[in-house]
Amino acid sequence: MASKLDRLLDGIHPAKTVDQTDRRADDAINSFCPQSARTENWNRFCDCLIRFLRHTDVRLLRLRQECPMTPSFDWGRCCQILTRAYGLGGEKTAFEMARTGNEGGLYAVLKKFARTMAEQYADNEILAMVSFYWNGLSIDEQFSACDEYLEKYGHLLPSEITEGNAVRVRANLPKVLQEHPRLMQHLSRIGRM
């Protein structure tokens, strides 16, 4: 019989979280038609990203239709996503790419934008599932979950966090569990799984 930890790890498996969200981001990219491949106008760039944000939300969240929002609110979200994707001043970096066509131009901006949104949504979903699991355990169950995780997956973790009776893992198991899908995804890509 599967333990609570096994059920959580099955629920947050990359195939059920990260990979699905990535596929929906690909669908958003492939089904969006920007008005042009390059734009030298800041306002048109902003409008394009706002339309893409709404379009991607529909795909990522599997909505029936776009949610009505205000352009200033949507642009604020766009700036947050661009900052996460390109760093501070990300909207300027993205505009320069879209304006010049360099580094993949507007298409590369939209692709990175959608990937960043997908990553954020997958992380939020995983966080919610891990929090629900962890907060539903007693203290004794939390200690047991640490032992069980280390027994099953400790060999996959970096030695610097498992040394000394794996105190760092034991003190931060919810964070380790949040990173578990990315670890499994990475290992499957390099063929260790």
Side-chain angles (χ1 to χ4, degrees):
M1 186 169 134
S3 67
K4 289 180 181 180
L5 179 63
D6 289 332
R7 288 190 298 274
L8 169 70
L9 295 177
D10 181 58
I12 64 173
H13 191 277
K16 295 180 179 177
T17 53
V18 179
D19 296 343
Q20 283 187 8
T21 309
D22 284 346
R23 280 191 293 279
R24 291 193 300 268
D26 287 342
D27 177 51
I29 295 163
N30 294 331
S31 61
F32 183 74
C33 296
Q35 293 172 341
S36 66
R38 280 180 36 184
T39 181
E40 294 184 8
N41 182 290
W42 174 257
N43 290 332
R44 278 192 228 125
F45 172 73
C46 296
D47 289 343
C48 176
L49 282 183
I50 289 170
R51 284 187 309 107
F52 187 65
L53 171 78
R54 292 176 179 175
H55 176 81
T56 305
D57 265 344
V58 169
R59 296 301 192 282
L60 290 176
L61 298 174
R62 295 171 283 202
L63 303 173
R64 291 186 183 147
Q65 61 186 16
E66 290 180 6
C67 295
M69 299 279 184
T70 60
S72 61
F73 178 80
D74 288 341
W75 178 244
R77 284 187 59 210
C78 289
C79 289
Q80 289 175 338
I81 293 163
L82 292 169
T83 297
R84 187 172 175 169
Y86 295 106
L88 199 57
E91 68 278 5
K92 293 173 186 156
T93 302
F95 176 64
E96 279 306 304
M97 288 173 64
R99 185 183 69 77
T100 62
N102 292 340
E103 298 180 55
L106 181 60
Y107 177 76
V109 170
L110 296 177
K111 188 172 181 179
K112 187 154 187 160
F113 190 92
R115 292 267 182 238
T116 302
M117 285 181 71
E119 180 181 304
Q120 195 169 14
Y121 285 164
D123 289 348
N124 289 345
E125 181 181 0
I126 292 164
L127 171 62
M129 293 171 75
V130 168
S131 296
F132 182 78
Y133 160 78
W134 189 252
N135 293 332
L137 299 178
S138 68
I139 298 297
D140 289 338
E141 288 174 321
Q142 290 177 355
F143 285 121
S144 295
C146 290
D147 293 337
E148 181 183 352
Y149 186 81
L150 287 166
E151 181 183 320
K152 292 178 178 178
Y153 300 98
H155 66 286
L156 300 175
L157 300 173
S159 60
E160 58 269 8
I161 68 169
T162 57
E163 65 188 11
N165 200 22
V167 173
R168 292 168 81 184
V169 174
R170 293 176 190 283
N172 297 298
L173 188 63
K175 182 67 176 160
V176 171
L177 294 173
Q178 289 172 43
E179 296 300 323
H180 184 82
R182 302 275 184 210
L183 172 66
M184 294 295 105
Q185 185 181 49
H186 176 72
L187 291 175
S188 69
R189 286 182 180 157
I190 61 172
R192 279 185 62 184
M193 291 297 299

